[in-house]
Amino acid sequence: MSHKRIPKRKAAIAAGGVVALGAAAILLPNANASQDGSSSNGAAAAPKTLKASDASDLASQLQELLGEAFAGSYYDTDQKQLVVNVVSGDNNNVIVQAEKAGAKIREVDNSLAELAAGAQTLKTRATIPGTAWAVDPRTNKILVTADSTVTGAKWDRLESTVDTLGSGMATIKKSAGTFKTFVSGGDAIFGGGARCSAGFNVTAGDGSPAFLTAGHCGVAAAEWSDAQDGQPIATVDQATFPGDGDFALVKYDDPATVAPSEVNVGDGQTVQISQAADAEVGLQVFRMGSTTGLKDGQVLGLDATVNYPEGTVTGLIQTDVCAEPGDSGGSLFTQDGLAIGLTSGGSGDCTVGGETFFQPVTTALEAVGATLGAGDAAGGGEQAGAGDEAGAGAGDEAGAGEEAGAGQEVGGEEAGAGQEVGGEEAGQEVGGQDTGAGAEQGDSGLTETH
């Protein structure tokens, strides 16, 4: 992600589009190709072939159209179709309406209201640190996840609560890691002994240049720099964590900062970000972080509740994209340039996998009153911002002995480059800078770095 103060001589380069990416990139070559293969001669009830962004729009329309009959939806990436769950009862008209709109219809037992009531029961009876839950439209159930700290009486309490919901309402799975926030993400930023990542550049409500990052980064420090022990370049304006989200608005101190709407994916390449969009279950997404670089996966659930040690956070996106300490605040996006989320936290790592949760960009933008992308600010001094040289840390040193949380240190290597996490050195180059992709840890759990 390019969250930086761009020297004038580099402005033209930063405006470039997507070109062929390096070995770490998995973005497909047909990212912007139209996939609307629907035929005007086909039957009205035949599901349409849709791009992911169009599927998300159609899902929103059908939710309004179908009302209480709408029971969630997901995107079938293989068939490129939107699958819509309906609780139709005796009203076949709702199925006809949805089929005419181009969706693939699936009749299910649990309504959204019933699933929401189940989630409320979990909140009331089983808000236990190390647990999370989200509605999975592919199973039409609530997916409950418990990390490795949920044992003994805590596990019994969680299991018994799930049992009270009924056999067809929820499932439980265990995670090998622990749910913690990922302070340390896109381009590296530093504040108060913590390392995080800038997510997406935005224009604040007053017209000033800013960026979004994780809220737990925003509450960890008021001022942020693009270099360890460097001069601050941005100041936190608003931050939410824990509670109704995990997001922060951080304003650049220099009002002339050029803040391009793009994600730095390494090797000098960028993905242009065109707009913010809501996630859809089944959507293929990409995450960029200063520790692990570019990773991909799928959206597994929406409106997820995560019980971190610091408190409960609601309204998140659940995915199977891996992440590690240092990826907090980093950008979640699609191959066709849609901004989806900001890295919050999760469990596991990029060796064994795990769950990762993201703050939806759309709700963050609405909450802070910002718009995606750069405003009218021109100029931009000669000092480069976070990750200016197309890679986390921009060659600035992270400094020996930086606290990485849970006794871990980020040792005297370049920021985001070959960092030692849990005493083991990470080391994949992205964009000519070591981003620490694939950083190893002393255990399988993700830990904070502040």
Side-chain angles (χ1 to χ4, degrees):
M1 169 93 219
S2 268
H3 297 278
K4 56 204 177 197
R5 303 167 64 195
I6 301 181
K8 295 178 183 178
R9 65 179 181 274
K10 294 186 179 179
I13 298 175
V18 180
V19 296
L21 303 180
I26 350 171
L27 297 182
L28 304 180
N30 297 321
N32 297 313
S34 173
Q35 296 173 338
D36 187 355
S38 58
S39 169
S40 59
N41 298 322
K48 291 181 180 179
T49 301
L50 300 167
K51 293 188 296 183
S53 57
D54 294 335
S56 180
D57 291 341
L58 178 58
S60 298
Q61 295 168 13
L62 288 177
Q63 183 171 9
E64 183 175 351
L65 174 68
L66 300 177
E68 293 182 359
F70 181 85
S73 64
Y74 63 94
Y75 183 60
D76 184 331
T77 54
D78 292 333
Q79 300 298 320
K80 295 182 172 59
Q81 294 173 347
L82 176 68
V83 181
V84 173
N85 295 335
V86 296
V87 181
S88 60
D90 296 327
N91 185 7
N92 290 328
N93 184 52
V94 298
I95 296 178
V96 174
Q97 288 178 302
E99 287 178 336
K100 284 184 177 180
K104 182 178 179 179
I105 302 305
R106 190 177 71 149
E107 293 190 67
V108 296
D109 295 327
N110 298 322
S111 69
L112 285 184
E114 290 169 329
L115 293 169
Q120 181 60 41
T121 299
L122 287 165
K123 179 180 179 182
T124 302
R125 302 181 184 177
T127 296
I128 302 166
T131 61
W133 50 82
V135 172
D136 180 3
R138 285 175 289 196
T139 62
N140 188 230
K141 296 180 180 180
I142 302 169
L143 174 60
V144 181
T145 307
D147 73 12
S148 59
T149 68
V150 182
T151 59
K154 292 189 291 185
W155 171 260
D156 292 342
R157 176 179 157 198
L158 178 65
E159 193 173 39
S160 64
T161 302
V162 170
D163 288 343
T164 65
L165 302 180
S167 60
M169 284 294 294
T171 57
I172 307 179
K173 76 169 187 173
K174 289 282 288 184
S175 175
T178 58
F179 290 151
K180 293 189 177 180
T181 50
F182 298 152
V183 180
S184 256
D187 287 342
I189 53 174
F190 303 87
R195 178 168 68 86
C196 283
S197 296
F200 296 97
N201 280 319
V202 299
T203 300
D206 61 2
S208 60
F211 62 85
L212 294 176
T213 190
H216 63 267
C217 299
V219 300
E223 296 182 319
W224 290 85
S225 172
D226 58 349
Q228 177 66 23
D229 298 325
Q231 290 297 312
I233 64 166
T235 302
V236 175
D237 181 73
Q238 304 176 51
T240 296
F241 178 83
D244 296 330
D246 185 2
F247 56 88
L249 177 70
V250 187
K251 291 184 178 180
Y252 290 105
D253 295 334
D254 183 355
T257 297
V258 176
S261 189
E262 60 187 29
V263 173
N264 173 6
V265 293
D267 200 24
Q269 312 306 322
T270 61
V271 173
Q272 297 296 314
I273 299 300
S274 59
Q275 64 186 71
D278 292 325
E280 183 73 23
V281 171
L283 178 67
Q284 184 186 31
V285 285
F286 297 84
R287 177 196 55 74
M288 190 64 191
S290 64
T291 297
T292 56
L294 183 67
K295 302 294 179 180
D296 77 324
Q298 284 194 356
V299 174
L300 301 180
L302 304 178
D303 197 21
T305 295
V306 185
N307 296 300
Y308 291 122
E310 300 92 337
T312 299
V313 180
T314 60
L316 300 182
I317 302 166
Q318 183 171 351
T319 78
D320 61 4
V321 186
C322 71
E324 297 183 3
D327 290 331
S328 273
S331 45
L332 185 74
F333 59 99
T334 66
Q335 63 182 20
D336 52 355
L338 300 178
I340 301 296
L342 307 165
T343 307
S344 174
S347 69
D349 56 33
C350 288
T351 299
V352 301
E355 302 81 22
T356 303
F357 300 92
F358 295 83
Q359 164 66 45
V361 167
T362 51
T363 55
L365 289 171
E366 181 178 3
V368 301
T371 54
L372 192 68
D376 298 327
E382 292 299 312
Q383 292 185 359
D388 182 44
E389 295 295 335
D396 295 310
E397 294 187 355
E402 179 192 356
E403 288 296 323
Q408 298 183 353
E409 292 185 354
V410 178
E413 299 285 337
E414 289 184 353
Q419 298 180 47
E420 291 192 1
V421 182
E424 306 240 335
E425 187 170 321
Q428 174 180 341
E429 269 193 24
V430 179
Q433 302 283 337
D434 282 344
T435 62
E440 298 182 14
Q441 298 183 130
D443 58 41
S444 62
L446 288 170
T447 57
E448 297 178 88
T449 56
H450 74 279

